[in-house]
Amino acid sequence: MLLSIISPVYQAESLLQELVERIRQAVSGITDSYEIILVEDASKDNSWNKIEELASRFPEIKGIKLSRNFGQHYAITAGLDAAKGEWIVVMDCDLQDRPEEIPNLYQEAQKGFDVVLAKRENRQDGFFKRLSSKVFYRTLAWLTGSKQDESIANFGVYHRKVVNEIIGMRESIRYFPTMVKWVGFRQTAIPVVHAENGDRGSTYNLKRLFNLALDIMLAYSDKPIRLTVKLGMLVALTGFLFALYTLYRYLDGNIIVAGYASLIISLWMLTGFLLITLGMVGLYIGKTFEGVKNRPIYIVEKRISRDKT
């Protein structure tokens, strides 16, 4: 099989018909050896029923229903595990990733690249989505010490050898773009048209973005721990200098009764720094504890698969 197209599905019942039709039309100019893998991430609407209906009409469609909402990047992993193609396309289901760009991505890959990413020009998101995305990627770049491009997300075409390496990374915290960047190989990006989201809106609210950023920070960066060490050293140095100053005043006979305000301020500051440090270490220990449990990354409730005849 030449192509596998993977799309994590969440709250997309009204979009699936158009998504499948446009993918089929776009891919038909490349090959007739392909599959469309729709991974339903426990939507609250009837997305799974729609996938079942489409799969009964089009044999190239495979459906995977997760037992609960694991999240977009876990759904992508489920799709990667099931994909059989030599080249794998990953795209969102909201049609902002235009299926018509798949031939362009594939054509660029034939120039010798293992990964061709879609660089979204003139993003058609709302103000909050664009602002939160910019803050998210800049923070991620600072924490991980690597360049991050906010115009690049999941949409792209990936060679089987790249996907095999990503599949082999079974850590409990998943973030597909960072995993792609980490495995390396020959990568490039080409500009694509970014479509409007219509009335669907983003499925990432502020809480989900914060939790995602926190997970990525804990999984891919030790910078917060390093910062707490530096902060501790700064506090210790400040305390040492203050102790020398106090000793000088004592030897000079100028010691007076310690002020209540300075004592309370010092206690609050030191206690706050200690709690921040303990909290940061606790988060890392908690994520390590989750990892050593060796639980499955996702759980599949149902599958639909019909071989093409």
Side-chain angles (χ1 to χ4, degrees), residues 44-94:
K44 297 178 182 178
D45 60 4
N46 293 316
S47 292
W48 179 249
N49 293 337
K50 188 64 179 179
I51 292 173
E52 289 181 317
E53 175 196 332
L54 291 168
S56 67
R57 294 163 50 196
F58 306 113
E60 63 269 21
I61 292 181
K62 294 182 179 179
I64 299 174
K65 179 177 174 60
L66 302 185
S67 62
R68 65 170 177 82
N69 181 251
F70 283 85
Q72 181 186 33
H73 300 281
Y74 298 83
I76 290 175
T77 301
L80 295 177
D81 288 341
K84 297 180 179 179
E86 179 185 356
W87 291 93
I88 292 89
V89 174
V90 177
M91 62 185 302
D92 292 344
C93 68
D94 57 8

Side-chain angles (χ1 to χ4, degrees), residues 168-265:
M169 300 167 64
R170 307 309 287 184
E171 55 256 40
S172 59
I173 298 177
R174 319 292 294 180
Y175 185 63
F176 183 65
T178 299
M179 298 171 83
V180 170
K181 185 183 291 290
W182 187 87
V183 298
F185 296 98
R186 292 197 64 193
Q187 302 190 12
T188 189
I190 62 172
V192 300
V193 176
H194 192 228
E196 294 184 0
N197 199 6
D199 298 327
R200 182 171 182 264
S202 174
T203 57
Y204 278 100
N205 54 31
L206 187 60
K207 180 180 178 181
R208 294 188 70 180
L209 279 174
F210 175 78
N211 289 335
L212 177 62
L214 183 62
D215 281 346
I216 296 170
M217 176 190 73
L218 296 175
Y220 298 101
S221 174
D222 63 352
K223 203 163 191 175
I225 291 290
R226 295 176 182 272
L227 288 175
T228 55
V229 171
K230 292 178 181 179
L231 180 62
M233 293 177 65
L234 178 62
V235 172
L237 177 61
T238 303
F240 179 71
L241 293 175
F242 183 73
L244 289 179
Y245 175 68
T246 303
L247 178 61
Y248 168 76
R249 293 186 64 201
Y250 171 76
L251 294 176
D252 198 40
N254 293 323
I255 282 291
I256 58 175
V257 177
Y260 176 79
S262 62
L263 178 63
I264 293 299
I265 291 173

Side-chain angles (χ1 to χ4, degrees), residues 9-303:
V9 174
Y10 184 74
Q11 303 291 87
E13 178 187 3
S14 62
L15 302 174
L16 289 174
Q17 177 79 36
E18 182 180 354
L19 175 68
V20 168
E21 289 178 352
R22 289 171 62 180
I23 290 176
R24 294 179 77 244
Q25 184 175 359
V27 174
S28 63
I30 302 174
T31 181
D32 59 357
S33 177
Y34 69 94
E35 61 184 356
I36 302 173
I37 303 175
L38 303 175
V39 185
E40 202 275 326
D41 194 21
S43 300
K44 297 178 182 178
D45 60 4
N46 293 316
S47 292
W48 179 249
N49 293 337
K50 188 64 179 179
I51 292 173
E52 289 181 317
E53 175 196 332
L54 291 168
S56 67
R57 294 163 50 196
F58 306 113
E60 63 269 21
I61 292 181
K62 294 182 179 179
I64 299 174
K65 179 177 174 60
L66 302 185
S67 62
R68 65 170 177 82
N69 181 251
F70 283 85
Q72 181 186 33
H73 300 281
Y74 298 83
I76 290 175
T77 301
L80 295 177
D81 288 341
K84 297 180 179 179
E86 179 185 356
W87 291 93
I88 292 89
V89 174
V90 177
M91 62 185 302
D92 292 344
C93 68
D94 57 8
L95 294 174
Q96 286 194 281
D97 294 340
R98 299 174 68 250
E100 291 77 14
E101 300 289 353
I102 294 176
N104 299 329
L105 295 167
Y106 178 75
Q107 184 178 5
E108 187 70 17
Q110 302 315 298
K111 298 178 180 179
F113 295 103
D114 301 307
V115 175
V116 180
L117 301 168
K119 187 178 180 66
R120 300 168 293 181
E121 294 192 334
N122 300 319
R123 291 185 61 178
Q124 300 299 311
D125 296 311
F127 173 76
F128 170 76
K129 178 70 180 296
R130 284 184 279 113
L131 177 62
S132 59
S133 179
K134 183 172 293 188
V135 171
F136 173 82
Y137 280 103
R138 289 189 178 181
T139 302
L140 182 61
W142 179 73
L143 286 171
T144 60
S146 61
K147 185 178 179 180
Q148 301 289 332
D149 190 341
E150 65 195 63
S151 66
I152 295 176
N154 304 314
F155 192 21
V157 60
Y158 309 87
H159 192 267
R160 164 55 57 184
K161 63 184 177 183
V162 177
V163 170
N164 284 342
E165 297 301 328
I166 294 174
I167 289 174
M169 300 167 64
R170 307 309 287 184
E171 55 256 40
S172 59
I173 298 177
R174 319 292 294 180
Y175 185 63
F176 183 65
T178 299
M179 298 171 83
V180 170
K181 185 183 291 290
W182 187 87
V183 298
F185 296 98
R186 292 197 64 193
Q187 302 190 12
T188 189
I190 62 172
V192 300
V193 176
H194 192 228
E196 294 184 0
N197 199 6
D199 298 327
R200 182 171 182 264
S202 174
T203 57
Y204 278 100
N205 54 31
L206 187 60
K207 180 180 178 181
R208 294 188 70 180
L209 279 174
F210 175 78
N211 289 335
L212 177 62
L214 183 62
D215 281 346
I216 296 170
M217 176 190 73
L218 296 175
Y220 298 101
S221 174
D222 63 352
K223 203 163 191 175
I225 291 290
R226 295 176 182 272
L227 288 175
T228 55
V229 171
K230 292 178 181 179
L231 180 62
M233 293 177 65
L234 178 62
V235 172
L237 177 61
T238 303
F240 179 71
L241 293 175
F242 183 73
L244 289 179
Y245 175 68
T246 303
L247 178 61
Y248 168 76
R249 293 186 64 201
Y250 171 76
L251 294 176
D252 198 40
N254 293 323
I255 282 291
I256 58 175
V257 177
Y260 176 79
S262 62
L263 178 63
I264 293 299
I265 291 173
S266 299
L267 286 174
W268 276 100
M269 288 182 62
L270 290 173
T271 303
F273 290 147
L274 286 173
L275 289 175
I276 290 172
T277 304
L278 290 173
M280 190 64 64
V281 173
L283 285 173
Y284 276 98
I285 293 174
K287 292 301 178 181
T288 303
F289 177 64
E290 287 184 10
V292 300
K293 289 179 182 177
N294 201 27
R295 290 178 177 177
I297 296 173
Y298 58 86
I299 300 173
V300 175
E301 180 181 341
K302 295 179 182 178
R303 293 181 187 269

